[in-house]
């Protein structure tokens, strides 16, 4: 099991309930794949450095988790097909 950190930016026009459902969806995905979510840190709305898809701000979420090497690949695949996500990054933490 390896430690990973992912940050994703959600569309700023989402309602609070939709944001909670999306965050829970990604946490459940990691758990279903055999990983374990250690921490979910919702930073809230922040201004973007540059416009992305005509949005000037986004809702930032930072998540730390432990999982096997196949989980980040599946997580990235789901990020790509989820319309609410405008940017994401998954990084493996060093020992």
């Amino acid at each position: 099991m390896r430690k990973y950190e992912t940050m994703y930016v959600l569309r700023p026009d989402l309602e609070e309930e939709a944001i909670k459902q999306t965050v829970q969806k990604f946490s459940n995905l990691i758990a279903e794949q055999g990983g374990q979510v250690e921490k979910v840190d919702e930073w809230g709305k922040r201004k973007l450095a540059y416009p992305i898809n005509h949005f000037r701000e986004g809702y930032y979420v930072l998540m730390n988790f432990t999982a096997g090497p196949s989980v980040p690949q599946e997580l990235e695949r789901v990020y790509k097909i989820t319309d609410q996500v405008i940017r994401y990054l998954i990084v493996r933490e060093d020992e």
Side-chain angles (χ1 to χ4, degrees):
M1 299 287 264
R2 298 177 178 159
K3 290 186 173 228
Y4 294 94
E5 178 177 86
T6 182
M7 174 171 273
Y8 52 95
V9 182
L10 301 175
R11 296 170 37 148
D13 59 354
L14 294 175
E15 294 184 15
E16 191 173 326
E17 187 61 34
I19 290 171
K20 289 189 184 304
Q21 288 176 353
T22 306
V23 171
Q24 190 63 42
K25 171 184 168 182
F26 295 136
S27 297
N28 290 343
L29 175 71
I30 292 169
E32 289 169 3
Q33 297 289 322
Q36 180 179 1
V37 177
E38 295 173 0
K39 184 172 89 171
V40 177
D41 190 11
E42 295 184 32
W43 289 8
K45 283 188 184 177
R46 300 207 175 200
K47 187 174 180 182
L48 300 171
Y50 54 90
I52 302 172
N53 298 337
H54 306 291
F55 294 117
R56 296 208 166 270
E57 57 180 21
Y59 191 90
Y60 283 72
V61 180
L62 177 69
M63 185 166 39
N64 297 76
F65 64 97
T66 307
S70 65
V71 176
Q73 294 172 345
E74 177 64 15
L75 189 59
E76 182 173 3
R77 185 188 73 77
V78 174
Y79 281 157
K80 287 179 181 179
I81 61 174
T82 304
D83 293 334
Q84 291 92 334
V85 177
I86 56 176
R87 280 289 186 270
Y88 66 89
L89 181 66
I90 304 171
V91 180
R92 188 175 107 196
E93 294 179 355
D94 292 331
E95 300 300 320

